[in-house]
Amino acid sequence: MKNSNVFKTIGLMACMILFLSCSAEDGDVGPQGPQGEQGPAGAQGLQGEQGPAGADGQDGADGQNGNANVIYSNWIPADWNLLDLPRVKEMRIPVTEIGIDELRNKTLVFVYFTQWGDGRVHAMPSGGRWSNTWYSFTFGNRGINSQGIVVLLESTNGVDLTENQYSGSRNNDFRYVLVPESAPSGKLDYTDYQAVKAYYNLPD
């Protein structure tokens, strides 16, 4: 009798084990849960080394010197409209670009001239190519003539001036160049007309 109970107990336990070992079919996958909070940003990494510098570009071409604020006349043929004597001649060249005060006190004034039979340009005061002449000029200090420049041609040896020396039809011409204080004056030799012409970009 006792053994019969033991066998029943063992049989019952075996049935329970068999029942538990049989698993049911898997169910449907549930919905995805909410995303978790983003974690704190990590520390910034070290900056990389700077790359090599690029090659320098080519320099641009230099610009030409301008003639801003510089005033110049055309070439003016000799016209002895103030005094016309055999050995002394004077002509007035009007200057209308600036006022008398600026001409007198705030401007560098230069007058250049050409002569018959000579391809050069001379600066006043000078005798030019002739040994018996003297060219000079004044400005701003002669009353009614103060608005312009007065050119003076003189014989230096007491001999009458020749037509080649004074006539406007013989290439005896004059040009003034006015450099106001507002214009660059440069380190120029103003007796060298070609240097002045190049620096201020003056036309022929």
PDB file of all heavy atoms in Angstrom, residues 73 76 81-82 90-97 100 103 108-112 124 136-142 145-152 174-178:
ATOM      1  N   SER A  73      48.732 125.318 -69.345  1.00  0.00           N
ATOM      2  CA  SER A  73      48.175 125.943 -70.541  1.00  0.00           C
ATOM      3  C   SER A  73      48.587 125.146 -71.771  1.00  0.00           C
ATOM      4  O   SER A  73      49.466 124.281 -71.717  1.00  0.00           O
ATOM      5  CB  SER A  73      48.689 127.376 -70.672  1.00  0.00           C
ATOM      6  OG  SER A  73      50.085 127.362 -70.978  1.00  0.00           O
ATOM      7  N   ILE A  76      51.428 128.609 -76.194  1.00  0.00           N
ATOM      8  CA  ILE A  76      50.902 129.913 -76.601  1.00  0.00           C
ATOM      9  C   ILE A  76      51.955 130.635 -77.435  1.00  0.00           C
ATOM     10  O   ILE A  76      53.059 130.913 -76.932  1.00  0.00           O
ATOM     11  CB  ILE A  76      50.534 130.750 -75.363  1.00  0.00           C
ATOM     12  CG1 ILE A  76      49.536 129.979 -74.482  1.00  0.00           C
ATOM     13  CG2 ILE A  76      49.989 132.106 -75.774  1.00  0.00           C
ATOM     14  CD1 ILE A  76      49.323 130.615 -73.123  1.00  0.00           C
ATOM     15  N   ASN A  81      51.848 141.852 -76.419  1.00  0.00           N
ATOM     16  CA  ASN A  81      50.660 142.700 -76.322  1.00  0.00           C
ATOM     17  C   ASN A  81      50.775 143.789 -75.261  1.00  0.00           C
ATOM     18  O   ASN A  81      49.855 144.597 -75.125  1.00  0.00           O
ATOM     19  CB  ASN A  81      49.413 141.842 -76.068  1.00  0.00           C
ATOM     20  CG  ASN A  81      49.601 140.878 -74.898  1.00  0.00           C
ATOM     21  OD1 ASN A  81      50.390 141.131 -73.994  1.00  0.00           O
ATOM     22  ND2 ASN A  81      48.873 139.765 -74.919  1.00  0.00           N
ATOM     23  N   LEU A  82      51.849 143.799 -74.488  1.00  0.00           N
ATOM     24  CA  LEU A  82      52.043 144.863 -73.496  1.00  0.00           C
ATOM     25  C   LEU A  82      53.133 145.843 -73.897  1.00  0.00           C
ATOM     26  O   LEU A  82      52.986 147.060 -73.719  1.00  0.00           O
ATOM     27  CB  LEU A  82      52.397 144.253 -72.123  1.00  0.00           C
ATOM     28  CG  LEU A  82      51.289 143.512 -71.386  1.00  0.00           C
ATOM     29  CD1 LEU A  82      51.802 143.004 -70.042  1.00  0.00           C
ATOM     30  CD2 LEU A  82      50.072 144.406 -71.168  1.00  0.00           C
ATOM     31  N   GLU A  90      57.215 142.566 -73.946  1.00  0.00           N
ATOM     32  CA  GLU A  90      56.425 142.003 -72.854  1.00  0.00           C
ATOM     33  C   GLU A  90      55.083 141.503 -73.389  1.00  0.00           C
ATOM     34  O   GLU A  90      54.487 142.144 -74.263  1.00  0.00           O
ATOM     35  CB  GLU A  90      56.159 143.033 -71.750  1.00  0.00           C
ATOM     36  CG  GLU A  90      57.373 143.407 -70.928  1.00  0.00           C
ATOM     37  CD  GLU A  90      57.020 144.346 -69.784  1.00  0.00           C
ATOM     38  OE1 GLU A  90      55.852 144.815 -69.731  1.00  0.00           O
ATOM     39  OE2 GLU A  90      57.887 144.614 -68.943  1.00  0.00           O
ATOM     40  N   MET A  91      54.625 140.395 -72.832  1.00  0.00           N
ATOM     41  CA  MET A  91      53.289 139.903 -73.179  1.00  0.00           C
ATOM     42  C   MET A  91      52.609 139.381 -71.912  1.00  0.00           C
ATOM     43  O   MET A  91      53.254 138.847 -71.017  1.00  0.00           O
ATOM     44  CB  MET A  91      53.346 138.804 -74.240  1.00  0.00           C
ATOM     45  CG  MET A  91      53.970 137.504 -73.808  1.00  0.00           C
ATOM     46  SD  MET A  91      53.855 136.189 -75.073  1.00  0.00           S
ATOM     47  CE  MET A  91      52.137 135.741 -74.931  1.00  0.00           C
ATOM     48  N   ARG A  92      51.312 139.614 -71.890  1.00  0.00           N
ATOM     49  CA  ARG A  92      50.510 139.121 -70.769  1.00  0.00           C
ATOM     50  C   ARG A  92      49.807 137.846 -71.189  1.00  0.00           C
ATOM     51  O   ARG A  92      49.176 137.782 -72.246  1.00  0.00           O
ATOM     52  CB  ARG A  92      49.474 140.160 -70.330  1.00  0.00           C
ATOM     53  CG  ARG A  92      48.549 139.659 -69.227  1.00  0.00           C
ATOM     54  CD  ARG A  92      47.580 140.740 -68.790  1.00  0.00           C
ATOM     55  NE  ARG A  92      46.658 140.235 -67.784  1.00  0.00           N
ATOM     56  CZ  ARG A  92      45.346 140.111 -67.965  1.00  0.00           C
ATOM     57  NH1 ARG A  92      44.806 140.446 -69.121  1.00  0.00           N
ATOM     58  NH2 ARG A  92      44.581 139.659 -67.003  1.00  0.00           N
ATOM     59  N   ILE A  93      49.897 136.812 -70.326  1.00  0.00           N
ATOM     60  CA  ILE A  93      49.180 135.563 -70.530  1.00  0.00           C
ATOM     61  C   ILE A  93      48.105 135.482 -69.451  1.00  0.00           C
ATOM     62  O   ILE A  93      48.431 135.361 -68.265  1.00  0.00           O
ATOM     63  CB  ILE A  93      50.121 134.344 -70.439  1.00  0.00           C
ATOM     64  CG1 ILE A  93      51.240 134.451 -71.477  1.00  0.00           C
ATOM     65  CG2 ILE A  93      49.343 133.052 -70.620  1.00  0.00           C
ATOM     66  CD1 ILE A  93      52.263 133.332 -71.381  1.00  0.00           C
ATOM     67  N   PRO A  94      46.829 135.539 -69.802  1.00  0.00           N
ATOM     68  CA  PRO A  94      45.774 135.477 -68.773  1.00  0.00           C
ATOM     69  C   PRO A  94      45.770 134.120 -68.071  1.00  0.00           C
ATOM     70  O   PRO A  94      46.025 133.079 -68.681  1.00  0.00           O
ATOM     71  CB  PRO A  94      44.485 135.686 -69.578  1.00  0.00           C
ATOM     72  CG  PRO A  94      44.921 136.303 -70.864  1.00  0.00           C
ATOM     73  CD  PRO A  94      46.276 135.749 -71.152  1.00  0.00           C
ATOM     74  N   VAL A  95      45.473 134.167 -66.779  1.00  0.00           N
ATOM     75  CA  VAL A  95      45.276 132.944 -65.979  1.00  0.00           C
ATOM     76  C   VAL A  95      43.897 133.050 -65.350  1.00  0.00           C
ATOM     77  O   VAL A  95      43.664 133.894 -64.479  1.00  0.00           O
ATOM     78  CB  VAL A  95      46.363 132.785 -64.890  1.00  0.00           C
ATOM     79  CG1 VAL A  95      46.060 131.573 -64.018  1.00  0.00           C
ATOM     80  CG2 VAL A  95      47.741 132.653 -65.528  1.00  0.00           C
ATOM     81  N   THR A  96      42.989 132.229 -65.790  1.00  0.00           N
ATOM     82  CA  THR A  96      41.605 132.315 -65.319  1.00  0.00           C
ATOM     83  C   THR A  96      41.193 131.120 -64.456  1.00  0.00           C
ATOM     84  O   THR A  96      40.092 131.119 -63.910  1.00  0.00           O
ATOM     85  CB  THR A  96      40.651 132.405 -66.525  1.00  0.00           C
ATOM     86  OG1 THR A  96      40.820 131.247 -67.349  1.00  0.00           O
ATOM     87  CG2 THR A  96      40.942 133.649 -67.352  1.00  0.00           C
ATOM     88  N   GLU A  97      42.047 130.131 -64.344  1.00  0.00           N
ATOM     89  CA  GLU A  97      41.665 128.908 -63.631  1.00  0.00           C
ATOM     90  C   GLU A  97      41.613 129.092 -62.115  1.00  0.00           C
ATOM     91  O   GLU A  97      40.881 128.380 -61.423  1.00  0.00           O
ATOM     92  CB  GLU A  97      42.631 127.769 -63.962  1.00  0.00           C
ATOM     93  CG  GLU A  97      42.620 127.322 -65.413  1.00  0.00           C
ATOM     94  CD  GLU A  97      43.632 128.090 -66.249  1.00  0.00           C
ATOM     95  OE1 GLU A  97      44.127 129.145 -65.784  1.00  0.00           O
ATOM     96  OE2 GLU A  97      43.934 127.637 -67.364  1.00  0.00           O
ATOM     97  N   ILE A 100      43.400 135.451 -57.894  1.00  0.00           N
ATOM     98  CA  ILE A 100      44.659 136.160 -57.731  1.00  0.00           C
ATOM     99  C   ILE A 100      45.346 135.812 -56.410  1.00  0.00           C
ATOM    100  O   ILE A 100      46.570 135.654 -56.350  1.00  0.00           O
ATOM    101  CB  ILE A 100      44.438 137.693 -57.836  1.00  0.00           C
ATOM    102  CG1 ILE A 100      45.760 138.440 -57.735  1.00  0.00           C
ATOM    103  CG2 ILE A 100      43.443 138.169 -56.798  1.00  0.00           C
ATOM    104  CD1 ILE A 100      46.761 138.073 -58.805  1.00  0.00           C
ATOM    105  N   LEU A 103      46.915 132.404 -56.782  1.00  0.00           N
ATOM    106  CA  LEU A 103      48.054 132.490 -57.681  1.00  0.00           C
ATOM    107  C   LEU A 103      49.261 133.105 -56.978  1.00  0.00           C
ATOM    108  O   LEU A 103      50.388 132.621 -57.115  1.00  0.00           O
ATOM    109  CB  LEU A 103      47.684 133.308 -58.917  1.00  0.00           C
ATOM    110  CG  LEU A 103      48.786 133.495 -59.964  1.00  0.00           C
ATOM    111  CD1 LEU A 103      49.157 132.173 -60.595  1.00  0.00           C
ATOM    112  CD2 LEU A 103      48.349 134.501 -61.038  1.00  0.00           C
ATOM    113  N   LEU A 108      52.758 127.226 -56.932  1.00  0.00           N
ATOM    114  CA  LEU A 108      54.060 127.255 -57.588  1.00  0.00           C
ATOM    115  C   LEU A 108      53.821 127.545 -59.063  1.00  0.00           C
ATOM    116  O   LEU A 108      53.020 126.873 -59.706  1.00  0.00           O
ATOM    117  CB  LEU A 108      54.779 125.918 -57.419  1.00  0.00           C
ATOM    118  CG  LEU A 108      55.104 125.490 -55.984  1.00  0.00           C
ATOM    119  CD1 LEU A 108      55.711 124.085 -55.977  1.00  0.00           C
ATOM    120  CD2 LEU A 108      56.039 126.479 -55.322  1.00  0.00           C
ATOM    121  N   VAL A 109      54.510 128.560 -59.582  1.00  0.00           N
ATOM    122  CA  VAL A 109      54.298 129.004 -60.955  1.00  0.00           C
ATOM    123  C   VAL A 109      55.571 128.749 -61.761  1.00  0.00           C
ATOM    124  O   VAL A 109      56.660 129.184 -61.383  1.00  0.00           O
ATOM    125  CB  VAL A 109      53.921 130.497 -61.010  1.00  0.00           C
ATOM    126  CG1 VAL A 109      53.706 130.945 -62.461  1.00  0.00           C
ATOM    127  CG2 VAL A 109      52.666 130.758 -60.179  1.00  0.00           C
ATOM    128  N   PHE A 110      55.410 128.054 -62.890  1.00  0.00           N
ATOM    129  CA  PHE A 110      56.536 127.777 -63.782  1.00  0.00           C
ATOM    130  C   PHE A 110      56.119 128.132 -65.206  1.00  0.00           C
ATOM    131  O   PHE A 110      54.987 127.882 -65.617  1.00  0.00           O
ATOM    132  CB  PHE A 110      56.931 126.294 -63.714  1.00  0.00           C
ATOM    133  CG  PHE A 110      57.241 125.819 -62.323  1.00  0.00           C
ATOM    134  CD1 PHE A 110      56.272 125.170 -61.576  1.00  0.00           C
ATOM    135  CD2 PHE A 110      58.482 126.051 -61.760  1.00  0.00           C
ATOM    136  CE1 PHE A 110      56.543 124.741 -60.287  1.00  0.00           C
ATOM    137  CE2 PHE A 110      58.766 125.623 -60.472  1.00  0.00           C
ATOM    138  CZ  PHE A 110      57.799 124.973 -59.731  1.00  0.00           C
ATOM    139  N   VAL A 111      57.068 128.714 -65.949  1.00  0.00           N
ATOM    140  CA  VAL A 111      56.826 129.058 -67.345  1.00  0.00           C
ATOM    141  C   VAL A 111      57.956 128.457 -68.179  1.00  0.00           C
ATOM    142  O   VAL A 111      59.144 128.610 -67.849  1.00  0.00           O
ATOM    143  CB  VAL A 111      56.746 130.578 -67.564  1.00  0.00           C
ATOM    144  CG1 VAL A 111      56.487 130.889 -69.044  1.00  0.00           C
ATOM    145  CG2 VAL A 111      55.645 131.194 -66.697  1.00  0.00           C
ATOM    146  N   TYR A 112      57.570 127.797 -69.255  1.00  0.00           N
ATOM    147  CA  TYR A 112      58.529 127.150 -70.162  1.00  0.00           C
ATOM    148  C   TYR A 112      58.365 127.749 -71.550  1.00  0.00           C
ATOM    149  O   TYR A 112      57.309 128.277 -71.904  1.00  0.00           O
ATOM    150  CB  TYR A 112      58.280 125.632 -70.187  1.00  0.00           C
ATOM    151  CG  TYR A 112      58.378 124.994 -68.815  1.00  0.00           C
ATOM    152  CD1 TYR A 112      57.242 124.839 -68.026  1.00  0.00           C
ATOM    153  CD2 TYR A 112      59.602 124.572 -68.318  1.00  0.00           C
ATOM    154  CE1 TYR A 112      57.326 124.268 -66.761  1.00  0.00           C
ATOM    155  CE2 TYR A 112      59.692 123.992 -67.054  1.00  0.00           C
ATOM    156  CZ  TYR A 112      58.555 123.850 -66.289  1.00  0.00           C
ATOM    157  OH  TYR A 112      58.639 123.286 -65.029  1.00  0.00           O
ATOM    158  N   MET A 124      62.059 129.210 -67.620  1.00  0.00           N
ATOM    159  CA  MET A 124      62.418 130.581 -67.242  1.00  0.00           C
ATOM    160  C   MET A 124      62.777 130.626 -65.751  1.00  0.00           C
ATOM    161  O   MET A 124      62.220 129.863 -64.960  1.00  0.00           O
ATOM    162  CB  MET A 124      61.241 131.523 -67.503  1.00  0.00           C
ATOM    163  CG  MET A 124      60.901 131.695 -68.953  1.00  0.00           C
ATOM    164  SD  MET A 124      59.643 132.987 -69.157  1.00  0.00           S
ATOM    165  CE  MET A 124      59.191 132.728 -70.866  1.00  0.00           C
ATOM    166  N   SER A 136      62.244 136.033 -68.775  1.00  0.00           N
ATOM    167  CA  SER A 136      61.829 135.951 -67.376  1.00  0.00           C
ATOM    168  C   SER A 136      60.325 136.198 -67.308  1.00  0.00           C
ATOM    169  O   SER A 136      59.681 136.500 -68.318  1.00  0.00           O
ATOM    170  CB  SER A 136      62.590 136.962 -66.516  1.00  0.00           C
ATOM    171  OG  SER A 136      62.348 138.290 -66.975  1.00  0.00           O
ATOM    172  N   PHE A 137      59.761 136.084 -66.107  1.00  0.00           N
ATOM    173  CA  PHE A 137      58.318 136.321 -65.971  1.00  0.00           C
ATOM    174  C   PHE A 137      58.014 136.800 -64.559  1.00  0.00           C
ATOM    175  O   PHE A 137      58.778 136.578 -63.613  1.00  0.00           O
ATOM    176  CB  PHE A 137      57.515 135.048 -66.289  1.00  0.00           C
ATOM    177  CG  PHE A 137      57.636 133.962 -65.263  1.00  0.00           C
ATOM    178  CD1 PHE A 137      56.676 133.813 -64.259  1.00  0.00           C
ATOM    179  CD2 PHE A 137      58.708 133.073 -65.285  1.00  0.00           C
ATOM    180  CE1 PHE A 137      56.791 132.809 -63.314  1.00  0.00           C
ATOM    181  CE2 PHE A 137      58.823 132.064 -64.342  1.00  0.00           C
ATOM    182  CZ  PHE A 137      57.864 131.932 -63.358  1.00  0.00           C
ATOM    183  N   THR A 138      56.886 137.483 -64.440  1.00  0.00           N
ATOM    184  CA  THR A 138      56.343 137.881 -63.144  1.00  0.00           C
ATOM    185  C   THR A 138      54.866 137.513 -63.128  1.00  0.00           C
ATOM    186  O   THR A 138      54.269 137.244 -64.171  1.00  0.00           O
ATOM    187  CB  THR A 138      56.505 139.389 -62.890  1.00  0.00           C
ATOM    188  OG1 THR A 138      55.786 140.106 -63.906  1.00  0.00           O
ATOM    189  CG2 THR A 138      57.961 139.795 -62.900  1.00  0.00           C
ATOM    190  N   PHE A 139      54.271 137.538 -61.918  1.00  0.00           N
ATOM    191  CA  PHE A 139      52.840 137.236 -61.837  1.00  0.00           C
ATOM    192  C   PHE A 139      52.283 137.837 -60.548  1.00  0.00           C
ATOM    193  O   PHE A 139      52.972 137.940 -59.534  1.00  0.00           O
ATOM    194  CB  PHE A 139      52.584 135.722 -61.851  1.00  0.00           C
ATOM    195  CG  PHE A 139      53.223 134.984 -60.707  1.00  0.00           C
ATOM    196  CD1 PHE A 139      52.509 134.709 -59.551  1.00  0.00           C
ATOM    197  CD2 PHE A 139      54.543 134.568 -60.789  1.00  0.00           C
ATOM    198  CE1 PHE A 139      53.094 134.032 -58.499  1.00  0.00           C
ATOM    199  CE2 PHE A 139      55.135 133.883 -59.735  1.00  0.00           C
ATOM    200  CZ  PHE A 139      54.412 133.616 -58.587  1.00  0.00           C
ATOM    201  N   GLY A 140      51.028 138.269 -60.618  1.00  0.00           N
ATOM    202  CA  GLY A 140      50.296 138.676 -59.425  1.00  0.00           C
ATOM    203  C   GLY A 140      50.759 139.929 -58.748  1.00  0.00           C
ATOM    204  O   GLY A 140      50.393 140.194 -57.610  1.00  0.00           O
ATOM    205  N   ASN A 141      51.568 140.765 -59.409  1.00  0.00           N
ATOM    206  CA  ASN A 141      52.085 141.939 -58.700  1.00  0.00           C
ATOM    207  C   ASN A 141      52.206 143.166 -59.597  1.00  0.00           C
ATOM    208  O   ASN A 141      52.995 144.052 -59.328  1.00  0.00           O
ATOM    209  CB  ASN A 141      53.461 141.622 -58.105  1.00  0.00           C
ATOM    210  CG  ASN A 141      54.473 141.232 -59.163  1.00  0.00           C
ATOM    211  OD1 ASN A 141      54.131 141.109 -60.326  1.00  0.00           O
ATOM    212  ND2 ASN A 141      55.711 141.033 -58.744  1.00  0.00           N
ATOM    213  N   ARG A 142      51.378 143.240 -60.659  1.00  0.00           N
ATOM    214  CA  ARG A 142      51.526 144.354 -61.584  1.00  0.00           C
ATOM    215  C   ARG A 142      50.191 145.022 -61.890  1.00  0.00           C
ATOM    216  O   ARG A 142      49.837 145.283 -63.026  1.00  0.00           O
ATOM    217  CB  ARG A 142      52.186 143.884 -62.884  1.00  0.00           C
ATOM    218  CG  ARG A 142      53.595 143.344 -62.642  1.00  0.00           C
ATOM    219  CD  ARG A 142      54.328 143.072 -63.930  1.00  0.00           C
ATOM    220  NE  ARG A 142      54.528 144.321 -64.678  1.00  0.00           N
ATOM    221  CZ  ARG A 142      55.312 144.412 -65.754  1.00  0.00           C
ATOM    222  NH1 ARG A 142      55.956 143.352 -66.188  1.00  0.00           N
ATOM    223  NH2 ARG A 142      55.430 145.550 -66.391  1.00  0.00           N
ATOM    224  N   ASN A 145      47.548 143.939 -64.602  1.00  0.00           N
ATOM    225  CA  ASN A 145      48.028 142.689 -65.178  1.00  0.00           C
ATOM    226  C   ASN A 145      48.164 141.577 -64.144  1.00  0.00           C
ATOM    227  O   ASN A 145      48.682 140.506 -64.438  1.00  0.00           O
ATOM    228  CB  ASN A 145      49.391 142.902 -65.840  1.00  0.00           C
ATOM    229  CG  ASN A 145      49.326 143.943 -66.937  1.00  0.00           C
ATOM    230  OD1 ASN A 145      48.450 143.896 -67.782  1.00  0.00           O
ATOM    231  ND2 ASN A 145      50.252 144.888 -66.901  1.00  0.00           N
ATOM    232  N   SER A 146      47.703 141.833 -62.928  1.00  0.00           N
ATOM    233  CA  SER A 146      47.959 140.892 -61.837  1.00  0.00           C
ATOM    234  C   SER A 146      47.176 139.599 -61.965  1.00  0.00           C
ATOM    235  O   SER A 146      47.484 138.630 -61.297  1.00  0.00           O
ATOM    236  CB  SER A 146      47.635 141.549 -60.490  1.00  0.00           C
ATOM    237  OG  SER A 146      46.258 141.876 -60.422  1.00  0.00           O
ATOM    238  N   GLN A 147      46.151 139.583 -62.817  1.00  0.00           N
ATOM    239  CA  GLN A 147      45.367 138.359 -62.965  1.00  0.00           C
ATOM    240  C   GLN A 147      46.076 137.316 -63.818  1.00  0.00           C
ATOM    241  O   GLN A 147      45.594 136.208 -63.964  1.00  0.00           O
ATOM    242  CB  GLN A 147      44.006 138.680 -63.582  1.00  0.00           C
ATOM    243  CG  GLN A 147      43.104 139.503 -62.680  1.00  0.00           C
ATOM    244  CD  GLN A 147      42.729 138.766 -61.413  1.00  0.00           C
ATOM    245  OE1 GLN A 147      42.601 137.559 -61.398  1.00  0.00           O
ATOM    246  NE2 GLN A 147      42.575 139.510 -60.333  1.00  0.00           N
ATOM    247  N   GLY A 148      47.183 137.642 -64.396  1.00  0.00           N
ATOM    248  CA  GLY A 148      47.875 136.702 -65.267  1.00  0.00           C
ATOM    249  C   GLY A 148      49.373 136.696 -65.046  1.00  0.00           C
ATOM    250  O   GLY A 148      49.884 137.150 -64.025  1.00  0.00           O
ATOM    251  N   ILE A 149      50.065 136.166 -66.037  1.00  0.00           N
ATOM    252  CA  ILE A 149      51.520 136.057 -66.030  1.00  0.00           C
ATOM    253  C   ILE A 149      52.066 136.994 -67.101  1.00  0.00           C
ATOM    254  O   ILE A 149      51.547 137.052 -68.222  1.00  0.00           O
ATOM    255  CB  ILE A 149      51.952 134.608 -66.313  1.00  0.00           C
ATOM    256  CG1 ILE A 149      51.446 133.678 -65.197  1.00  0.00           C
ATOM    257  CG2 ILE A 149      53.462 134.498 -66.467  1.00  0.00           C
ATOM    258  CD1 ILE A 149      51.607 132.212 -65.506  1.00  0.00           C
ATOM    259  N   VAL A 150      53.104 137.726 -66.775  1.00  0.00           N
ATOM    260  CA  VAL A 150      53.740 138.632 -67.718  1.00  0.00           C
ATOM    261  C   VAL A 150      55.107 138.076 -68.083  1.00  0.00           C
ATOM    262  O   VAL A 150      55.955 137.853 -67.213  1.00  0.00           O
ATOM    263  CB  VAL A 150      53.883 140.048 -67.143  1.00  0.00           C
ATOM    264  CG1 VAL A 150      54.659 140.950 -68.117  1.00  0.00           C
ATOM    265  CG2 VAL A 150      52.512 140.651 -66.864  1.00  0.00           C
ATOM    266  N   VAL A 151      55.313 137.817 -69.376  1.00  0.00           N
ATOM    267  CA  VAL A 151      56.583 137.298 -69.889  1.00  0.00           C
ATOM    268  C   VAL A 151      57.399 138.469 -70.430  1.00  0.00           C
ATOM    269  O   VAL A 151      56.881 139.326 -71.165  1.00  0.00           O
ATOM    270  CB  VAL A 151      56.333 136.259 -71.002  1.00  0.00           C
ATOM    271  CG1 VAL A 151      57.655 135.834 -71.649  1.00  0.00           C
ATOM    272  CG2 VAL A 151      55.607 135.048 -70.431  1.00  0.00           C
ATOM    273  N   LEU A 152      58.675 138.488 -70.091  1.00  0.00           N
ATOM    274  CA  LEU A 152      59.581 139.560 -70.504  1.00  0.00           C
ATOM    275  C   LEU A 152      60.735 138.968 -71.312  1.00  0.00           C
ATOM    276  O   LEU A 152      61.377 138.015 -70.883  1.00  0.00           O
ATOM    277  CB  LEU A 152      60.128 140.276 -69.271  1.00  0.00           C
ATOM    278  CG  LEU A 152      61.201 141.346 -69.502  1.00  0.00           C
ATOM    279  CD1 LEU A 152      60.642 142.520 -70.301  1.00  0.00           C
ATOM    280  CD2 LEU A 152      61.765 141.817 -68.153  1.00  0.00           C
ATOM    281  N   PHE A 174      55.085 129.668 -75.479  1.00  0.00           N
ATOM    282  CA  PHE A 174      55.166 129.638 -74.021  1.00  0.00           C
ATOM    283  C   PHE A 174      54.082 128.724 -73.440  1.00  0.00           C
ATOM    284  O   PHE A 174      52.986 128.602 -73.990  1.00  0.00           O
ATOM    285  CB  PHE A 174      55.008 131.044 -73.441  1.00  0.00           C
ATOM    286  CG  PHE A 174      55.977 132.041 -74.015  1.00  0.00           C
ATOM    287  CD1 PHE A 174      55.596 132.891 -75.049  1.00  0.00           C
ATOM    288  CD2 PHE A 174      57.276 132.101 -73.547  1.00  0.00           C
ATOM    289  CE1 PHE A 174      56.492 133.793 -75.600  1.00  0.00           C
ATOM    290  CE2 PHE A 174      58.186 133.004 -74.083  1.00  0.00           C
ATOM    291  CZ  PHE A 174      57.791 133.852 -75.110  1.00  0.00           C
ATOM    292  N   ARG A 175      54.408 128.125 -72.317  1.00  0.00           N
ATOM    293  CA  ARG A 175      53.423 127.309 -71.582  1.00  0.00           C
ATOM    294  C   ARG A 175      53.661 127.497 -70.091  1.00  0.00           C
ATOM    295  O   ARG A 175      54.808 127.440 -69.620  1.00  0.00           O
ATOM    296  CB  ARG A 175      53.567 125.831 -71.931  1.00  0.00           C
ATOM    297  CG  ARG A 175      52.864 124.889 -70.944  1.00  0.00           C
ATOM    298  CD  ARG A 175      52.978 123.416 -71.301  1.00  0.00           C
ATOM    299  NE  ARG A 175      51.805 122.977 -72.034  1.00  0.00           N
ATOM    300  CZ  ARG A 175      51.583 121.710 -72.374  1.00  0.00           C
ATOM    301  NH1 ARG A 175      52.468 120.765 -72.085  1.00  0.00           N
ATOM    302  NH2 ARG A 175      50.482 121.378 -73.018  1.00  0.00           N
ATOM    303  N   TYR A 176      52.569 127.723 -69.344  1.00  0.00           N
ATOM    304  CA  TYR A 176      52.716 127.794 -67.886  1.00  0.00           C
ATOM    305  C   TYR A 176      52.202 126.507 -67.247  1.00  0.00           C
ATOM    306  O   TYR A 176      51.317 125.824 -67.764  1.00  0.00           O
ATOM    307  CB  TYR A 176      52.002 129.020 -67.295  1.00  0.00           C
ATOM    308  CG  TYR A 176      50.500 129.092 -67.500  1.00  0.00           C
ATOM    309  CD1 TYR A 176      49.624 128.293 -66.755  1.00  0.00           C
ATOM    310  CD2 TYR A 176      49.945 129.992 -68.414  1.00  0.00           C
ATOM    311  CE1 TYR A 176      48.249 128.382 -66.930  1.00  0.00           C
ATOM    312  CE2 TYR A 176      48.571 130.085 -68.595  1.00  0.00           C
ATOM    313  CZ  TYR A 176      47.729 129.276 -67.852  1.00  0.00           C
ATOM    314  OH  TYR A 176      46.361 129.348 -68.022  1.00  0.00           O
ATOM    315  N   VAL A 177      52.777 126.187 -66.104  1.00  0.00           N
ATOM    316  CA  VAL A 177      52.357 125.057 -65.274  1.00  0.00           C
ATOM    317  C   VAL A 177      52.191 125.586 -63.860  1.00  0.00           C
ATOM    318  O   VAL A 177      53.140 126.141 -63.283  1.00  0.00           O
ATOM    319  CB  VAL A 177      53.377 123.905 -65.305  1.00  0.00           C
ATOM    320  CG1 VAL A 177      52.949 122.780 -64.354  1.00  0.00           C
ATOM    321  CG2 VAL A 177      53.542 123.363 -66.724  1.00  0.00           C
ATOM    322  N   LEU A 178      50.983 125.430 -63.310  1.00  0.00           N
ATOM    323  CA  LEU A 178      50.672 125.921 -61.969  1.00  0.00           C
ATOM    324  C   LEU A 178      50.438 124.728 -61.053  1.00  0.00           C
ATOM    325  O   LEU A 178      49.627 123.859 -61.354  1.00  0.00           O
ATOM    326  CB  LEU A 178      49.420 126.806 -62.005  1.00  0.00           C
ATOM    327  CG  LEU A 178      49.397 127.919 -63.054  1.00  0.00           C
ATOM    328  CD1 LEU A 178      48.085 128.693 -62.963  1.00  0.00           C
ATOM    329  CD2 LEU A 178      50.584 128.852 -62.894  1.00  0.00           C
TER     330      LEU A 178
END
